[in-house]
Amino acid sequence: MGPKPVPAEKEIDEVINKSAEHRLLVNNNSKTLKFFKCPIFLDIETTGLHSDDRVVSLSIVRCFLEDAKPRVDVMNLVFDPLKKSHPMAESVHKLDDWMLRHQDVFGEHISDIAEMLESGDCFVAHNANFDLPFLAREFQRWGRSMPQKPVFCTMIEARHQGWRPANLSACAERIGVRRQSSQHLAIEDALMCMALWWHWLGIGSVQSDPKSWPKFSNLRECPPRPNTLPRRDNKKKMTIFYKQQLGEE
């Protein structure tokens, strides 16, 4: 079965087109924002830019807009991608291989992630055509299908409004939100994306105080980093994971 259609408001139907990765993309029309009452803002960091690269962190910000004051829930996770990050990618997200190899694999949290994604009525991301296919492939690697929702790309909307440049930092600065960390954090990007959404809806501003950002909820401590990193033992780690799934440990 294909993705479920959005509510049958004519205004929405006129601006929705099918995109890559068999999902819906709400293109270049901020008037559709008012129809969504529970947007899911998300961002990822990865080991690199290619299709065989993996997700190292995921931040999901769910916003309920039914009440006078929006209510926000956050999921902020870090993963062992089972491979080393490309040096350029690591220089951006600053999550080193020694720390990452001591974290949970994506599959350990996939049910909670799917539940969070399913609970919203649309996905919102900046450059959604990068983040969502990456996330969908991660689901596929663990034998699951990613929930499908209408998608709104804030980068496309910014370009439609004539904002140049249209990268997330520049767009956020236009509305008075400045990047607060030299480390490229998925949680900061998800919150900046939400700030743009709120700005276009005219419902207020989003606080961007690093002290208020939730840390990785699943972060595991790791032993002191050795001078020379040993080889990864992904086979052992995956054996332990599958035994846990079968209830053998």
Side-chain angles (χ1 to χ4, degrees), residues 69-125:
K69 184 177 181 179
R71 179 164 63 88
V72 175
D73 297 322
V74 177
M75 176 180 285
N76 192 29
L77 301 171
V78 63
F79 312 107
D80 178 3
L82 301 174
K83 66 180 295 184
K84 185 174 175 58
S85 294
H86 186 279
M88 288 295 292
E90 186 172 322
S91 71
V92 173
H93 59 62
K94 295 182 171 61
L95 301 173
D96 71 88
D97 183 59
W98 179 247
M99 184 276 283
L100 289 175
R101 69 172 67 185
H102 290 89
Q103 306 308 313
D104 301 334
V105 293
F106 187 93
E108 293 180 66
H109 297 274
I110 196 167
S111 294
D112 291 337
I113 295 170
E115 183 178 355
M116 184 75 150
L117 294 177
E118 191 62 60
S119 66
D121 55 14
C122 72
F123 298 147
V124 186

Side-chain angles (χ1 to χ4, degrees), residues 53-72:
D53 278 303
R54 306 294 294 268
V55 174
V56 299
S57 67
L58 166 66
S59 292
I60 302 173
V61 179
R62 178 176 59 193
C63 183
F64 294 96
L65 298 172
E66 294 283 357
D67 304 322
K69 184 177 181 179
R71 179 164 63 88
V72 175

